Amino acid sequence: MRWFAVLCLCLSGSLAAETFDAIAFRSRLPQDEVIYFLLPDRFENGDTRNDRGGLKGDRLKTGFDPTHKGFYHGGDLRGLIKRLDYIQGLGATAIWLGPIYKNKPVQGPPGQESAGYHGYWITDFTRVDEHFGTQQELKEFIDAAHARGMKVYLDIITNHTADVISYRQCPQSDCVYRSRADYPYSRAGGTDGSAINEGFLGESVQTEANFAKLTRTDYAYEPFIRPAEAKVKVPEWLNDPIWYHNRGNTTFRGENSMMGDFVGLDDLMTENPRVLRGFIEIYQRWIEEFGVDGFRIDTTRHVNPEFWQAFVPAMLKTAHARGISNFHIFGEVFAETGDVVPLAWSTRVDGLPGVLDFAFRATVLDTLTKSAGTDKLAWLYRSDALYEGGDEAAIQLPTFISNHDIGRFGHYARANMTDGDDAGVLKRSMLAHAMMFTLRGVPVIYAGDEQGFAGDGSDQDAREDMFPSRVASYNDNVLLGTKATTALGNFDRDHPLYVAIAELAALRQENAALRRGKQIVRNYSEKPGLFAVSRLDPRTGREILVAFNTSTVPLQANVEVDARTRAFRSLKGPCAPRPTAPGSYKVTLEPLSYVVCAAQDES
């Protein structure tokens, strides 16, 4: 039984819980955590009465259709509370909860509608969506997690709201982006239009006085809101189009990456001091009222740096005042490659304390499923110097191999290994998780990966139900390591991936070097094979050697170690008792395997 479970058994009553809260888990650093990420709609249905979110009518009114992958399926906070023991049994110490704020139930043009089950189409930033439950149930969930010594991170959004604003010129939200050069703020509808917004100097002058001169919104398009939705957003100030860019859809490139509507979603003018102040107030309340332990921030790369430079310190100050000294903030800087630059940019320029490590995901996928050399891993870690704070900052980066947007590791492994079999994919998934838990960073498990979910691709195709699913395209999937399907509930604690992840989490928990230790890259190659690192205990400096074999053939190799080390013991796999010579240690690795060997005093 882990230390936090023992403490939980000794506590009763609110005073004891608060004492435990202050002493036991809030003292943990962000790098001490194992994060479990889930979308509440797809995790567990604990109360069928809220499946339709208090709405009446068909699925286009309520958003509820458990047979369609793009609509609500019924998962909720009550179900999540019911399954906390399952999550903690996996070794997770923090839960990253997909957005729980009130969403527009359904949006999209006729024939292409889908629902806000994922939580990213917010209309009311101040309360829980009724599809998921109530404010009280969110409090119960957070309190229940805290009583177990588990942290809760909320997923937050500042870049956009639900699609409520339309444009006269293209009312179906399919408007192409209109640039500031072709459609300046100083003219209505283009450079030949009538003069408007006299004296407004653009978003770069981010003062109240400057934005007070922006009074007209028809510089690019003529925005309007249909009467039925005129007051749908909360706080009320969000209903005025003046607080949005109103320039049409982004292509995620250049100027429009910051100022375009994200697939029609209303893009907030975050350069405006009123918008900044409003979102600081919104998210301060969630910290103050619920005592959450961190934020994952959606679409951070589409918001101007000045916003984050003010928003992050305000959140940290609020958290510290609430007694949350290790509040963890990490942003989503979406990327499909191993390029570290855009990730590091967000820490150096935007001032974000951390970002999701998309480069780790891409590099692990390349080395385990595309026959890339392990030198790619070495280059990934050499690039840690680019982050603000260098190695010390990189150790706090949440690492992952699957998520709800980019898809699951199993899917891409199958796609990349056309001549492989599922036994090989399962081995690679095991090895990918081992990398995530023993190399620098904070491991993030995406709900379902521990049950062998592989999915059919990205987005909706990677958002399977953990409880019995009625979606045909989910239920025909072949899961890894089991004969089960998603047509049945998947909370099997004997699944080989669940067991392996739980063992890795325990190993990480028991060894500070794997959580907080400096990482030294020891060996790598331009082809599949050996990758080895030493993780140094932050107190003693003693090393733990971790070595991986990414190839499909056995290998033996000498690895450089600390010349002072005279003996090793095995934490995982076969470890020789002693170095072959001072500073040199022989590792023997089966295909697609790893070892974890801890330096110790010579006996």
Side-chain angles (χ1 to χ4, degrees):
M1 186 177 292
R2 294 179 179 81
W3 59 270
F4 50 77
V6 175
L7 282 173
C8 282
L9 293 174
C10 300
L11 297 171
S12 62
S14 59
L15 178 60
E18 182 60 32
T19 302
F20 172 68
D21 176 65
I23 295 173
F25 74 91
R26 286 213 160 125
S27 63
R28 294 200 308 258
L29 298 176
Q31 54 263 44
D32 288 335
E33 310 303 337
V34 172
I35 303 171
Y36 189 79
F37 167 53
L38 59 92
L39 294 175
D41 179 65
R42 302 300 164 91
F43 192 67
E44 178 65 290
N45 191 342
D47 184 355
T48 58
R49 293 173 297 179
N50 61 28
D51 287 355
R52 291 168 175 79
L55 304 171
K56 295 180 180 180
D58 62 14
R59 72 175 193 172
L60 296 183
K61 297 293 185 182
T62 69
F64 179 68
D65 181 356
T67 68
H68 192 291
K69 64 185 179 181
F71 282 75
Y72 285 98
H73 293 175
D76 51 33
L77 290 164
R78 185 59 57 197
L80 180 51
I81 294 169
K82 172 185 172 183
R83 293 293 184 180
L84 279 175
D85 195 57
Y86 167 86
I87 299 172
Q88 191 168 38
L90 187 60
T93 63
I95 296 173
W96 157 16
L97 185 64
I100 43 75
Y101 323 98
K102 184 174 178 60
N103 267 230
K104 186 172 182 178
V106 178
Q107 63 182 46
Q112 300 177 41
E113 302 95 343
S114 63
Y117 70 92
H118 41 69
Y120 295 102
W121 298 345
I122 303 173
T123 53
D124 187 342
F125 286 82
T126 68
R127 64 188 178 109
V128 172
D129 193 293
E130 291 181 41
H131 289 90
F132 303 141
T134 65
Q135 306 288 99
Q136 179 59 32
E137 285 174 323
L138 177 62
K139 186 177 188 306
E140 288 178 27
F141 158 64
I142 293 171
D143 288 348
H146 284 173
R148 290 170 171 267
M150 302 176 75
K151 296 181 180 180
V152 176
Y153 300 153
L154 292 187
D155 204 322
I156 70 170
I157 303 96
T158 68
N159 176 66
H160 56 263
T161 71
D163 183 10
V164 173
I165 298 172
S166 299
Y167 305 129
R168 300 283 179 196
Q169 293 86 343
C170 42
Q172 295 301 324
S173 298
D174 57 354
C175 308
V176 298
Y177 184 80
R178 290 183 168 178
S179 72
R180 290 174 296 184
D182 293 328
Y183 295 85
Y185 291 105
S186 60
R187 294 291 184 271
T191 55
D192 295 332
S194 59
I196 60 173
N197 300 321
E198 183 179 357
F200 179 60
L201 300 177
E203 304 96 338
S204 61
V205 181
Q206 294 172 15
T207 64
E208 298 275 3
N210 182 47
F211 276 92
K213 297 171 184 175
L214 180 65
T215 58
R216 294 267 298 266
T217 59
D218 55 342
Y219 37 82
Y221 289 101
E222 294 178 55
F224 73 96
I225 300 174
R226 293 175 174 84
E229 295 183 312
K231 299 294 183 182
V232 73
K233 294 181 185 179
V234 180
E236 195 279 332
W237 62 268
L238 287 165
N239 292 298
D240 190 337
I242 198 68
W243 310 120
Y244 300 83
H245 284 123
N246 303 311
R247 288 189 172 276
N249 287 333
T250 181
T251 65
F252 308 103
R253 296 288 185 274
E255 173 190 311
N256 70 59
S257 181
M258 289 285 186
M259 304 197 179
D261 294 343
F262 195 111
V263 196
L265 298 170
D266 300 346
D267 192 71
L268 283 147
M269 190 175 282
T270 49
E271 300 86 356
N272 191 318
R274 175 65 183 92
V275 175
L276 169 62
R277 186 168 66 254
F279 274 100
I280 287 175
E281 292 168 355
I282 286 168
Y283 289 116
Q284 280 176 328
R285 284 187 57 198
W286 290 96
I287 298 171
E288 292 166 347
E289 293 184 18
F290 293 93
V292 296
D293 306 284
F295 288 152
R296 178 268 189 183
I297 308 177
D298 185 61
T299 52
T300 54
R301 71 184 303 168
H302 305 301
V303 174
N304 58 296
E306 296 87 355
F307 181 95
W308 301 127
Q309 291 162 10
F311 181 86
V312 168
M315 295 303 104
L316 293 176
K317 181 179 180 180
T318 302
H320 291 168
R322 182 67 163 75
I324 308 167
S325 56
N326 291 308
F327 196 81
H328 196 188
I329 296 177
F330 51 98
E332 179 210 26
V333 183
F334 188 92
E336 295 183 282
T337 73
D339 184 7
V340 167
V341 170
L343 306 179
W345 176 275
S346 287
T347 67
R348 284 196 177 271
V349 178
D350 297 345
L352 291 170
V355 290
L356 282 166
D357 196 349
F358 278 85
F360 174 88
R361 176 256 174 197
T363 304
V364 168
L365 199 64
D366 285 351
T367 54
L368 294 187
T369 73
K370 291 185 178 180
S371 300
T374 59
D375 57 330
K376 275 203 163 189
L377 286 162
W379 182 253
L380 172 75
Y381 296 118
R382 186 178 182 186
S383 300
D384 283 352
L386 300 179
Y387 293 100
E388 183 67 29
D391 293 345
E392 290 298 313
I395 207 169
Q396 298 185 44
L397 300 181
T399 55
F400 69 99
I401 58 172
S402 305
N403 77 11
H404 61 315
D405 287 328
I406 207 164
R408 296 190 185 272
F409 179 89
H411 167 76
Y412 292 103
R414 281 174 171 160
N416 294 340
M417 299 165 50
T418 54
D419 58 347
D421 59 12
D422 274 3
V425 174
L426 178 60
K427 281 187 177 181
R428 286 168 171 81
S429 182
M430 296 267 198
L431 194 57
H433 280 95
M435 288 180 169
M436 195 165 68
F437 275 82
T438 59
L439 297 172
R440 72 99 179 101
V442 184
V444 180
I445 308 155
Y446 176 38
D449 267 21
E450 78 279 9
Q451 295 294 328
F453 287 15
D456 292 319
S458 60
D459 199 78
Q460 294 178 8
D461 290 325
R463 298 175 181 179
E464 306 96 318
D465 304 303
M466 293 287 286
F467 59 100
S469 182
R470 294 172 57 190
V471 178
S473 64
Y474 293 163
N475 293 341
D476 66 5
N477 290 346
V478 177
L479 309 188
L480 298 173
T482 179
K483 294 182 180 179
T485 73
T486 57
L488 302 174
N490 283 274
F491 296 97
D492 179 10
R493 299 192 190 205
D494 293 323
H495 190 289
L497 278 165
Y498 185 100
V499 171
I501 292 170
E503 290 176 351
L504 284 163
L507 182 67
R508 195 172 186 274
Q509 174 61 39
E510 292 159 6
N511 294 276
L514 300 180
R515 291 179 279 114
R516 302 183 178 187
K518 179 181 178 181
Q519 178 170 291
I520 302 172
V521 174
R522 297 296 196 184
N523 286 66
Y524 56 90
S525 170
E526 293 180 358
K527 59 183 181 180
L530 179 64
F531 182 70
V533 304
S534 288
R535 302 294 305 276
L536 307 185
D537 186 284
R539 184 176 61 86
T540 66
R542 185 171 288 172
E543 71 185 312
I544 292 179
L545 178 70
V546 188
F548 305 90
N549 181 3
T550 67
S551 77
T552 55
V553 296
L555 69 80
Q556 264 194 354
N558 291 318
V559 175
E560 183 183 5
V561 293
D562 191 317
R564 296 167 293 182
T565 301
R566 294 292 181 263
F568 284 89
R569 64 184 177 91
S570 172
L571 299 181
K572 174 68 177 180
C575 295
R578 288 176 174 77
T580 52
S584 180
Y585 182 73
K586 182 175 289 186
V587 294
T588 301
L589 290 160
E590 293 300 312
L592 300 173
S593 70
Y594 70 101
V595 295
V596 183
C597 308
Q600 62 175 4
D601 294 332
E602 189 171 13
S603 58

